[in-house]
Amino acid sequence: MPVPSRRVVSAERVVQGGCAFFLRHATVDMDALAGSLAVSRATLYRVVHSRDRLLGDVLWRLADRLLAQARADTVTTGVDGVLETTRRFAVAVRQARPFRAFLRAEPVTAARVLFTPAGGVHVRVVEAQKAILAAAAADPAWSPADLDGAAFLYVRIVESMLYAELIRGRRADPVTAERAARAVLEAC
């Protein structure tokens, strides 16, 4: 009797498939994704380890694209450039219907994936923000002394604004959030 062949799928292919699935359905259903990739559910889990980790990879991939576009469109430098990038990114996130639908439909999962090591999104966002701060530090008028600390605090403020509905059930005031973010940057 012939031994059935195993279908091999790369982590990259799973994340790509997860992104496409998420954009269509505002979630990732592991059974449906496995079917669309023509692999078993067991194979899918062997590759990505958990739904939270896959969701984290998917959300980061999609956010990273938005962040790259925001950075490319930013025309100011220094602290003002950092804030401009954040404003552009925040607008793009608020306009991302699948993401907003996911936050409403799965708030507990979203919080776990976005804010804890389970999804790994927060750590990647802080690293990306650190790179933004380092690039902005080329402006001689501003040079943060503690990139790690500034990036962490800055991201926490931005997360508090972006995910206020998830965290406390109501929207945050972007103007207040920007004043707080500016204060962190100017204190560095």
Side-chain angles (χ1 to χ4, degrees), residues 15-156:
V15 173
Q16 287 174 353
C19 287
F21 195 96
F22 185 86
L23 291 172
R24 281 191 310 275
H25 304 287
T27 191
V28 172
D29 177 283
M30 297 299 273
D31 288 329
L33 180 59
S36 73
L37 296 171
V39 298
S40 71
R41 183 179 158 111
T43 297
L44 185 61
Y45 275 95
R46 265 194 299 280
V47 172
V48 297
H49 307 286
S50 72
R51 179 174 183 257
D52 283 357
R53 183 180 277 177
L54 176 58
L55 276 166
D57 289 345
V58 165
L59 293 177
W60 171 246
R61 175 79 52 94
L62 297 172
D64 192 38
R65 290 177 189 162
L66 297 177
L67 187 56
Q69 187 61 54
R71 287 183 80 177
D73 293 343
T74 295
V75 295
T76 55
T77 60
V79 169
D80 289 326
V82 173
L83 293 168
E84 179 186 351
T85 297
T86 301
R87 279 192 301 274
R88 290 176 182 280
F89 176 73
V91 166
V93 167
R94 278 192 228 105
Q95 291 174 348
R97 287 189 190 131
F99 182 65
R100 303 311 294 174
F102 171 67
L103 292 178
R104 282 190 307 276
E106 299 186 55
V108 173
T109 300
R112 190 175 55 246
V113 168
L114 291 169
F115 307 133
T116 73
V121 175
H122 175 76
V123 171
R124 289 181 267 196
V125 172
V126 170
E127 284 302 310
Q129 189 61 51
K130 188 174 157 184
I132 291 168
L133 296 180
D139 181 343
W142 181 70
S143 182
D146 177 13
L147 279 178
D148 289 321
F152 177 81
L153 290 173
Y154 188 85
V155 166
R156 281 299 187 196

